[in-house]
Amino acid sequence: MCHPKIETFGLNKMKLIKGQSFLLLLLLISAVSAAGAAAAEDGFIGVNIGTDLSDMPDPTQVVALLKAQQIRHVRLYDADRAMLLALANTGIRVTVSVPNDQLLGIGQSNATAANWVSRNVIAHIPATNITAIAVGSEVLTTLPNAAPVLVSAMNFIQSALVASNLASQIKVSTPHSSSIILDSFPPSQAFFNRTLEPVMVPLLKFLQSTGSFLMLNVYPYYDYVQSNGAIPLDYALFRPLPPTKEAVDRNTLLHYTNVFDAVVDAAYFAMSYLNFTNIPIIITESGWPSKGDSSEPDATLDNANTYNSNLIRHVLNNTGTPKHPGIALSTYIYELYNEDLRPGSISEKNWGLFNANGVPVYILHLTGSGTVLANDTTNQTYCVAKEGADKKLLQAALDWACGPGKVDCNPLMQGNPCYDPDTVVAHASYAFDAYYHKMGMTDGTCDFNGVATVTTSDPSHNSCIFPGSGGRNRTTTNGTSLAPSSNSTVSGCHSQYLNEKGVLFNSITLGLMLWGVAFL
């Protein structure tokens, strides 16, 4: 579809301004002002917390993992009360969400929106540090029938915050799929799908008037996969490229070394096309799957590690993009846990940084940097007796661990360091943890018929040092004994959020293919 070149945007609306040099000066002043405001705050890395797990950790365990990993920003796909209570007094900055299935009601009723804010925000402030509300998720591409009420829902939520004097500390926005951007490559000619302009224009006006940000989901994995070889893997993974392999925007002569920056700048240019030049962008989702089926050969541990490690560096270094260098581009990684209950391909279940038991899927290439997600938590998870577990079942599990489980239970003997306290709970916890680490913390080795659980809190006490403490190296044994486990499964709370990552062959992919000549 033909459309005006990006170089001419806004000229028809500025006929009273005499002289192109004056216009250029105004644009430059505006850009510098916006850049200064955005650069005032460093970029951060956050995580999305999905709940489509068959063994979803309880909120206190989730928060313990967040603390251990120094994660200070999280996004929830709802406003779960238990999760918000667990996050209280932690200082962790929280984005809560209006699920898509509640959007119609809130968008049609100011009272319904006010009630939602009262129950899910005001009730938790200030103990829980709620800083943003995401109204729906990818509504324009996944729930088109709700698109007409999206902006009204945002306005109703904003009104409730204003009435409660919370509008200055809590921003309202809505996450978008990057597929709403058409003709995206090169970035300078990008524009939003014109059929969405009746929504996008008032939406951008809302973000501008409230000082909020455009929420965008960016997935270079799918751009790469759907390009059919037009995009080099290194370009998708932030790996260094020789200058001859960098993509050059022919209109701006800006050089692009990765897909992520190109997509973000496409969004900046698309907003500029509608005369919005001062709205910052925050990335609400980005990541790479660590496992896939035979048709997904690039969903690997190494690629996931490489992408997320490079993404974290890119954000925390405040690298910015070629269009806005040095401007913070905060990003939430998709996602905290692998979600085994998610429908679809194998890759769809394997975007997590951690398994449900808190063990990392892989150790990011950031170990030793002392920053977010840089800790090797293989030395920070323990298996202990579950609170309130039946004492007879605990005793049976303890007997098994010290017998067929071949755990060294000598420290539990009278006179030895872990004898006190002389309770079945304390002794079982030590034995469970010993077995768990003896077996390399693999799935199913911390269950014991449902009376054991994984924790990130070190249960060591006095001179009793648990096997998970002390930084010992752990290797999986070749033993054949497996801890008894329950045959039943616990159904996790299904998230109302259903991501549309890569479901459609979108315009971004088409643009990448057409722009792929830059790599040849």
Side-chain angles (χ1 to χ4, degrees):
M1 181 184 295
C2 296
H3 61 280
K5 290 286 184 181
I6 194 70
E7 293 90 342
T8 65
F9 101 90
L11 291 178
N12 292 333
K13 294 187 178 181
M14 304 184 74
K15 292 180 180 178
L16 296 179
I17 296 179
K18 304 298 183 180
Q20 289 187 351
S21 61
F22 184 51
L23 171 59
L24 204 57
L25 178 61
L26 285 178
L27 290 174
L28 180 60
I29 292 172
S30 174
V32 170
S33 176
E41 185 174 337
D42 289 342
F44 64 77
I45 285 291
V47 294
N48 292 276
I49 303 178
T51 57
D52 284 345
L53 288 76
S54 57
D55 192 16
M56 180 67 195
D58 66 53
T60 57
Q61 291 174 305
V62 175
V63 171
L65 178 61
L66 296 175
K67 288 180 177 179
Q69 288 295 304
Q70 303 179 48
I71 297 170
R72 308 301 299 167
H73 300 261
V74 299
R75 174 183 169 220
L76 310 180
Y77 294 124
D78 51 24
D80 181 74
R81 182 175 181 273
M83 192 70 232
L84 290 173
L85 289 174
L87 286 163
N89 303 311
T90 63
I92 294 173
R93 297 164 69 93
V94 183
T95 294
V96 296
S97 302
V98 175
N100 283 354
D101 62 356
Q102 298 180 31
L103 186 61
L104 285 174
I106 288 175
Q108 295 172 340
S109 169
N110 202 345
T112 301
N115 183 52
W116 191 93
V117 171
S118 176
R119 287 184 294 106
N120 298 298
V121 178
I122 297 173
H124 298 281
I125 292 287
T128 303
N129 190 16
I130 298 174
T131 57
I133 300 174
V135 181
S137 182
E138 300 191 345
V139 174
L140 301 183
T141 49
T142 66
L143 199 65
N145 64 312
V149 302
L150 177 59
V151 178
S152 64
M154 295 169 69
N155 273 307
F156 288 156
I157 293 288
Q158 178 72 12
S159 296
L161 293 175
V162 170
S164 303
N165 295 318
L166 293 173
S168 62
Q169 68 186 77
I170 300 177
K171 299 301 180 184
V172 178
S173 188
T174 182
H176 297 286
S177 165
S178 58
S179 64
I180 66 171
I181 305 168
L182 302 183
D183 206 4
S184 303
F185 296 87
S188 63
Q189 65 186 42
F191 63 101
F192 294 118
N193 187 329
R194 288 207 175 93
T195 64
L196 301 177
E197 284 189 10
V199 177
M200 286 303 300
V201 172
L203 191 154
L204 292 173
K205 286 181 178 178
F206 171 88
L207 298 179
Q208 186 177 62
S209 66
T210 60
S212 189
F213 32 75
L214 182 77
M215 292 178 167
L216 189 67
N217 297 340
V218 178
Y219 284 101
Y221 170 74
Y222 284 109
D223 295 326
Y224 163 73
V225 168
Q226 295 170 349
S227 73
N228 293 322
I231 302 303
L233 181 61
D234 287 347
Y235 183 66
L237 293 174
F238 289 95
R239 284 177 177 152
L241 294 174
T244 56
K245 291 294 183 179
E246 294 177 358
V248 180
D249 187 320
R250 62 179 177 271
N251 298 315
T252 63
L253 300 184
L254 294 174
H255 287 236
Y256 288 88
T257 60
N258 62 81
V259 174
F260 180 88
D261 282 352
V263 174
V264 172
D265 272 0
Y268 278 128
F269 278 108
M271 286 194 288
S272 296
Y273 186 79
L274 296 177
N275 292 340
F276 295 92
T277 58
N278 60 348
I279 299 174
I281 292 176
I282 190 168
I283 307 304
T284 35
E285 294 177 24
S286 192
W288 196 283
S290 61
K291 186 178 181 180
D293 58 31
S294 58
S295 66
E296 304 168 303
D298 297 295
T300 67
L301 280 172
D302 184 61
N303 286 346
N305 196 340
T306 298
Y307 179 82
N308 281 323
S309 296
N310 288 336
L311 172 64
I312 291 170
R313 291 194 197 94
H314 190 66
V315 171
L316 296 184
N317 289 340
N318 291 318
T319 306
T321 66
K323 180 172 171 58
H324 292 304
I327 291 183
L329 192 62
S330 298
T331 300
Y332 291 85
I333 292 178
Y334 184 85
E335 60 187 331
L336 185 62
Y337 294 113
N338 276 338
E339 293 186 279
D340 61 311
L341 295 181
R342 284 191 63 81
S345 64
I346 290 177
S347 68
E348 195 63 27
K349 308 173 192 297
N350 289 278
W351 290 79
L353 298 171
F354 296 88
N355 291 306
N357 60 6
V359 175
V361 177
Y362 47 85
I363 303 299
L364 288 158
H365 300 318
L366 297 168
T367 302
S369 68
T371 188
V372 64
L373 288 165
N375 294 330
D376 180 348
T377 56
T378 53
N379 287 327
Q380 295 177 340
T381 55
Y382 312 87
C383 182
V384 297
K386 187 176 291 185
E387 185 177 352
D390 182 274
K391 299 293 180 60
K392 291 183 179 179
L393 292 178
L394 279 175
Q395 185 63 58
L398 171 60
D399 293 341
W400 183 92
C402 295
K406 300 180 180 178
V407 165
D408 179 9
C409 291
N410 282 324
L412 299 175
M413 303 298 290
Q414 188 169 5
N416 287 341
C418 296
Y419 175 75
D420 290 321
D422 182 17
T423 66
V424 66
V425 172
H427 287 190
S429 290
Y430 180 90
F432 293 172
D433 192 57
Y435 181 83
Y436 174 61
H437 288 95
K438 172 187 173 185
M439 299 303 293
M441 300 175 297
T442 53
D443 289 344
T445 58
C446 182
D447 186 278
F448 294 91
N449 279 326
V451 297
T453 186
V454 172
T455 180
T456 54
S457 299
D458 190 343
S460 301
H461 51 276
N462 299 326
S463 60
C464 178
I465 306 302
F466 272 52
S469 297
R472 300 179 186 179
N473 294 324
R474 304 187 190 100
T475 56
T476 303
T477 67
N478 294 321
T480 57
S481 297
L482 293 177
S485 60
S486 172
N487 290 326
S488 62
T489 58
V490 180
S491 297
C493 176
H494 288 222
S495 170
Q496 295 296 329
Y497 169 76
L498 184 58
N499 189 285
E500 289 294 316
K501 309 182 301 294
V503 171
L504 299 176
F505 184 89
N506 61 43
S507 62
I508 286 184
T509 301
L510 179 59
L512 278 165
M513 293 176 65
L514 295 176
W515 201 32
V517 294
F519 300 113
L520 301 179

